[in-house]
Each structure stands twice: as structure tokens, then as C-alpha cells.
């Protein structure tokens, strides 16, 4: 389940924070600064994962418009501080429809996994995301390095 993946990421992040904190207690001043920086970065990831989990579990987000907005904002924030130029196009031509919560969570998990793959591929420079709600929700993710996905609800 998508919830389990986020829970594992939260646990790993918290364990990393705790371990790094313990190591910092035993190190030199310069190394402590590096450890504190690592703790801060890990805490930011844990907070982001917690926010994702809260959003995923909140049934008031089970609409096409809320999902589309979240996916757009998620990608924008995800690539903001990277070298990857991300463009997002939203074509919204339907009424706001209620969607199944489990399908929404699964779609978000697949979407997040695609973005993680793109970020880890150092040769990716551009990403184009198209979110269309004409008939059903369809997401196309294309990069300059032949990564192509089509996700549907």
C-alpha cells in the first residue's frame, strides 16, 4: 500500500535523525556542524513525507480538482531547488468529480515514484508533465532522457 511506503520513509528518516544526533555527541566541532546539517535535511524530508501522508489519508482530497492541484504543486516544489526544468500543463475540462480514495493514493504513489526516478537520473535536464481531466484523469510525464510514463486514474 502507498501508506506503508510513506510510513517506512518516515521511520527511516526518524532513525537517521536519531543515529546522526547520537554520533554528533561524540564528534569534533566541524563534524558536528556537518551532522547538524544532515539532521536538518533529514528532518525536512520527514516533514515532507508526513505532509504527504496526511494529504493521502484525508478523504476531503478525494476530488479530481484537489488531486490535480496537489500533483501540480508537488512537482513544482519537488524540482524547485534542482537543475531540472519542469513544466506542467493542466487541461481541466470536467466538473469536480469525487474519486476513490485508494485510487487517488495509488496514483499519487506512482507519480511520486516517477519523479524520484527522474531526480536520481543525473542526465535529466527537462521534465514535461501534462495533467488532463477531459474524460478521466490522465498524467503524462516525459523527460529529455527517454523517461515516459502515462498514469491514469
Amino acid at each position: 500500500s502507498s501508506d506503508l511506503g510513506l510510513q517506512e520513509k518516515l521511520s527511516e528518516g526518524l532513525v537517521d535523525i536519531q543515529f546522526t544526533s547520537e554520533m554528533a555527541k561524540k564528534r569534533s566541532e566541524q563534524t558536528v556542524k556537518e551532522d547538524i546539517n544532515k539532521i536538518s535535511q533529514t528532518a525536512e524530508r520527514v516533514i515532507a513525507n508526513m505532509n504527504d501522508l496526511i494529504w493521502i489519508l484525508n478523504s476531503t482530497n478525494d476530488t479530481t480538482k484537489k488531486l490535480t492541484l496537489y500533483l501540480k504543486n508537488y512537482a513544482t516544489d519537488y524540482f524547485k531547488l534542482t537543475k531540472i526544468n519542469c513544466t506542467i500543463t493542466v487541461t481541466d475540462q470536467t466538473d469536480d468529480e469525487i474519486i476513490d480514495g485508494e485510487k487517488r493514493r495509488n496514483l499519487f504513489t506512482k507519480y511520486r515514484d516517477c519523479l524520484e526516478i527522474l531526480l536520481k537520473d543525473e542526465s535529466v535536464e527537462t521534465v514535461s508533465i501534462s495533467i488532463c481531466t477531459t474524460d478521466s484523469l490522465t498524467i503524462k510525464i516525459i523527460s529529455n532522457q527517454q523517461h515516459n510514463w502515462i498514469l491514469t486514474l
Side-chain angles (χ1 to χ4, degrees):
S1 142
S2 60
D3 302 343
L4 184 58
L6 280 174
Q7 290 170 351
E8 289 173 356
K9 286 184 176 190
L10 289 172
S11 293
E12 289 171 7
L14 292 172
V15 167
D16 191 28
I17 289 170
Q18 192 272 335
F19 177 77
T20 306
S21 299
E22 289 300 316
M23 294 302 295
K25 291 178 187 176
K26 302 173 185 171
R27 295 184 181 222
S28 68
E29 188 173 321
Q30 178 57 35
T31 307
V32 169
K33 288 180 183 178
E34 292 168 8
D35 289 342
I36 290 171
N37 189 39
K38 182 179 179 193
I39 291 167
S40 176
Q41 291 171 346
T42 303
E44 286 177 22
R45 284 194 313 271
V46 169
I47 290 167
N49 286 332
M50 288 176 70
N51 288 336
D52 292 344
L53 186 59
I54 291 166
W55 183 84
I56 283 173
L57 295 175
N58 187 344
S59 63
T60 64
N61 293 318
D62 289 347
T63 69
T64 53
K65 290 196 185 301
K66 286 185 179 179
L67 177 58
T68 299
L69 179 63
Y70 191 79
L71 295 174
K72 180 181 177 189
N73 291 338
Y74 185 86
T76 301
D77 290 345
Y78 195 80
F79 292 117
K80 184 176 13 184
L81 300 177
T82 72
K83 66 176 182 69
I84 297 173
N85 180 20
C86 181
T87 57
I88 305 165
T89 306
V90 176
T91 306
D92 187 8
Q93 298 179 349
T94 61
D95 293 329
D96 197 16
E97 297 180 20
I98 302 293
I99 53 178
D100 179 74
E102 187 66 25
K103 288 181 181 178
R104 176 179 60 86
R105 289 188 289 274
N106 289 337
L107 181 72
F108 172 74
T109 300
K110 291 175 189 172
Y111 182 77
R112 183 192 67 222
D113 292 347
C114 291
L115 300 187
E116 283 182 17
I117 290 168
L118 293 169
L119 188 60
K120 289 178 182 177
D121 183 342
E122 294 184 9
S123 62
V124 172
E125 297 172 354
T126 61
V127 174
S128 173
I129 300 173
S130 171
I131 304 172
C132 181
T133 61
T134 303
D135 295 319
S136 65
L137 183 67
T138 303
I139 304 166
K140 294 179 184 175
I141 305 170
I142 302 169
S143 81
N144 66 304
Q145 292 302 318
Q146 311 304 318
H147 296 288
N148 297 300
W149 293 279
I150 297 177
L151 310 174
T152 56
L153 188 57

